Amino acid sequence: MRHVSDDERRARLAVRHALAPGHRAATPEAATRAVGVLHATEPATVHLSCRARVSQLEVVDVVRALEVDRSLVKQLGMRRTLFVLPRDLLPAVLPSASARVAATERAAMAKEAAKCGVADCGAWVDAARGEVLALLARHPDGLTAQAVREAVPVLDGTVSVSPGTSSASRILTHLGLTGDVVRGTNTGHWRVSRPRWTLTRHWIPEPVPWNAADGWRELVRRWLVAFGPGTEDDVVWWLGATKGIVRAALAELDAVPVTLDGGGTGWLLPDDLDVAPDPGPWVALLPVLDPTVMGWKTREFYLGPHREQLFDRNGNAGTTVWVDGRIVGCWVQDPAGGVHLRLLDRVPARARRALEVEARRLTDWLGGTKVGTVYPSLAMKDPVVL
């Protein structure tokens, strides 16, 4: 059985994820494909993840891909997480990961409607969906969630939802999960999400969803391309799926088992067994929830002993500093927007110089823009400087 060491996994990561010099992506679309999908829970992450992988990138390049060419789309999917996807992946996500979350979301809304005295909860959900779709059909450029709430009487507050979330937002989220609407033009700053919700057919060529099994298989295939080798538990966690779904997909893909350092079993695609080349030295400053940081459930081969300092209790990652395939700390901004390193490990002088250059480059790229987060790690809140 082929063995893939931690050193080789770090080399594969550097090359596959477009982080090492000589392997950078040319466009936001290429950067997204390099990691399968981009995390979009925090809007700034999309821009900063692309910036870390594309040598010459401006904010307008990401906006172009999302709103002009529409080659990238935002979609709620795996683990009820918002992602940016290559548009050709949407037909695979809709019947698999999104459909799974849609069923849970519909049941939750119906339960909330019942608590508010609604006699036929399913009918209430269907009526709300229908009225929103009819409204958006009359507005090809889309409407914000607030405008939808004001225009649709059934969303007037009869049904209460969790604090800070309106009925309109929940219905729009469900319509997005079922592929009826998409998050269109962003009306706010690039680090803020204020989309105009738009009928899918008004925004992109309407996708024809695959069947669920084909969708799950394609998601597993793309995960293996970007993150393999990984364990069955890694894939199950990333997909938010079951072991049965993952095992069926691995079998249909003829995935090949490989041994990993520590005794675990990983999986690779059958045409992806060549030994990864040495990418040479590299450094990177990655944002909160970057897909490289969030791609595996078992992270010791690149994270080391720093889980508690860099992840919250729910497994959400803050900013990270990378040297040659290992996380060695995090980065923060000062009140003026300057980027500063907070290292948890001592690094060679060569790497320290490269990181300081990268911190200045990121400072210049941000141009004084402060990027906030709801996922600050302990290291981001408690200065540790080596």
Side-chain angles (χ1 to χ4, degrees):
M1 188 181 294
R2 164 104 150 81
H3 181 75
V4 182
S5 67
D6 286 351
D7 285 341
E8 185 179 352
R9 295 181 78 183
R10 289 188 286 268
R12 290 173 68 96
L13 176 158
V15 173
R16 298 296 174 91
H17 292 195
L19 292 171
H23 299 279
R24 298 290 174 86
T27 64
E29 292 89 342
T32 304
R33 289 184 181 279
V35 288
V37 295
L38 298 175
H39 276 255
T41 303
E42 295 202 342
T45 294
V46 176
H47 296 264
L48 292 171
S49 290
C50 287
R51 182 257 162 206
R53 295 169 171 85
V54 180
S55 296
Q56 301 294 327
L57 182 84
E58 301 295 337
V59 168
V60 293
D61 298 321
V62 182
V63 175
R64 183 266 310 159
L66 287 168
E67 300 183 14
V68 180
D69 296 346
R70 301 171 189 180
S71 49
L72 300 176
V73 294
K74 290 187 177 181
Q75 177 65 25
L76 203 66
M78 297 73 78
R79 309 186 314 280
R80 203 187 183 282
T81 297
L82 183 63
F83 292 100
V84 163
L85 318 173
R87 195 171 74 195
D88 66 355
L89 188 57
L90 194 56
V93 173
L94 287 174
S96 55
S98 290
R100 184 179 176 86
V101 179
T104 303
E105 187 71 10
R106 182 183 178 89
M109 286 192 294
K111 183 177 180 180
E112 289 157 1
K115 289 180 179 178
C116 296
V118 175
D120 189 336
C121 306
W124 182 88
V125 173
D126 289 337
R129 283 173 51 91
E131 290 197 36
V132 172
L133 289 174
L135 172 68
L136 293 179
R138 300 191 297 272
H139 294 274
D141 293 333
L143 295 170
T144 64
Q146 179 178 349
V148 170
R149 183 174 67 250
E150 293 171 351
V152 178
V154 76
L155 302 177
D156 64 359
T158 302
V159 175
S160 64
V161 293
S162 56
T165 304
S166 69
S167 296
S169 294
R170 292 290 293 275
I171 291 295
L172 287 166
T173 293
H174 192 257
L175 287 167
L177 285 163
T178 56
D180 294 287
V181 303
V182 294
R183 293 163 175 80
T185 303
N186 186 29
T187 63
H189 192 276
W190 61 266
R191 69 188 189 286
V192 177
S193 180
R194 291 177 184 163
R196 291 185 182 275
W197 290 87
T198 308
L199 290 182
T200 301
R201 69 174 184 268
H202 289 164
W203 188 252
I204 57 175
E206 202 160 8
V208 178
W210 301 355
N211 66 54
D214 289 345
W216 288 118
R217 184 177 64 247
E218 179 62 9
L219 284 172
V220 172
R221 187 188 72 80
R222 296 207 190 192
W223 186 90
L224 289 173
V225 169
F227 296 96
T231 66
E232 180 183 282
D233 286 345
D234 289 331
V235 188
V236 168
W237 175 83
W238 187 85
L239 283 180
T242 66
K243 288 187 176 181
I245 287 171
V246 170
R247 287 171 181 172
L250 290 171
E252 292 172 9
L253 291 166
D254 295 323
V256 177
V258 299
T259 57
L260 305 174
D261 284 356
T265 298
W267 296 89
L268 286 172
L269 291 171
D271 60 352
D272 191 24
L273 300 177
D274 292 343
V275 176
D278 181 356
W282 62 278
V283 300
L285 304 184
L286 300 186
V288 169
L289 299 175
D290 186 85
T292 296
V293 188
M294 299 293 294
W296 295 268
K297 181 181 181 180
T298 304
R299 301 165 172 142
E300 282 72 19
F301 77 95
Y302 63 88
L303 179 59
H306 304 311
R307 183 183 295 270
E308 290 187 3
Q309 295 99 323
L310 298 173
F311 285 78
D312 67 18
R313 292 180 180 177
N314 295 320
N316 298 306
T319 61
T320 50
V321 174
W322 291 69
V323 173
D324 300 338
R326 299 177 189 270
I327 297 178
V328 298
C330 70
W331 58 271
V332 295
Q333 289 181 275
D334 62 29
V339 173
H340 299 275
L341 308 172
R342 289 185 176 172
L343 301 185
L344 301 173
D345 289 337
R346 296 194 180 277
V347 301
R350 177 270 309 167
R352 183 64 184 246
R353 290 192 296 270
L355 286 171
E356 290 170 350
V357 169
E358 186 61 19
R360 289 194 293 272
R361 289 183 63 245
L362 182 53
T363 296
D364 292 342
W365 191 87
L366 288 167
T369 298
K370 289 290 299 296
V371 178
T373 179
V374 298
Y375 302 109
S377 64
L378 287 176
M380 293 171 69
K381 293 184 285 187
D382 183 18
V384 179
V385 180
L386 295 180

